[in-house]
Amino acid sequence: MSEHHHHRPASDHGGTAPSHKPYWKRAHTDWRLWVGVIVMFVAMIIYVMTQDLAWRPGSKPRQPQPAAVGGS
């Protein structure tokens, strides 16, 4: 049997070696994280600016509730 061993130096990873850091430490470089952060930020701004999404396009303002009848 013929065995072929290809030995590479420890510093040569061919550019495809996975990082040894956990994902949560290198996540800030991932574009998907930043897209999610921006979408959430826009959603929070819309929520606050529309007073808890109470405003809807084309909806009519609600009539105020009459005061409770009775009592002293």
Side-chain angles (χ1 to χ4, degrees):
M1 274 204 285
S2 175
E3 293 184 23
H4 297 282
H5 295 288
H6 297 284
H7 179 70
R8 290 186 179 177
S11 63
D12 182 23
H13 294 294
T16 59
S19 177
H20 296 291
K21 293 180 182 178
Y23 179 74
W24 62 270
K25 285 189 176 181
R26 56 188 162 89
H28 70 279
T29 60
D30 191 0
W31 65 270
R32 294 171 291 192
L33 174 91
W34 292 111
V35 168
V37 168
I38 291 169
V39 168
M40 283 193 305
F41 187 66
V42 168
M44 286 189 290
I45 290 173
I46 291 171
Y47 184 78
V48 169
M49 297 297 288
T50 60
Q51 299 173 356
D52 301 335
L53 296 175
W55 174 78
R56 288 179 178 75
S59 67
K60 297 178 184 176
R62 295 183 180 179
Q63 296 292 330
Q65 295 294 326
V69 178
S72 44

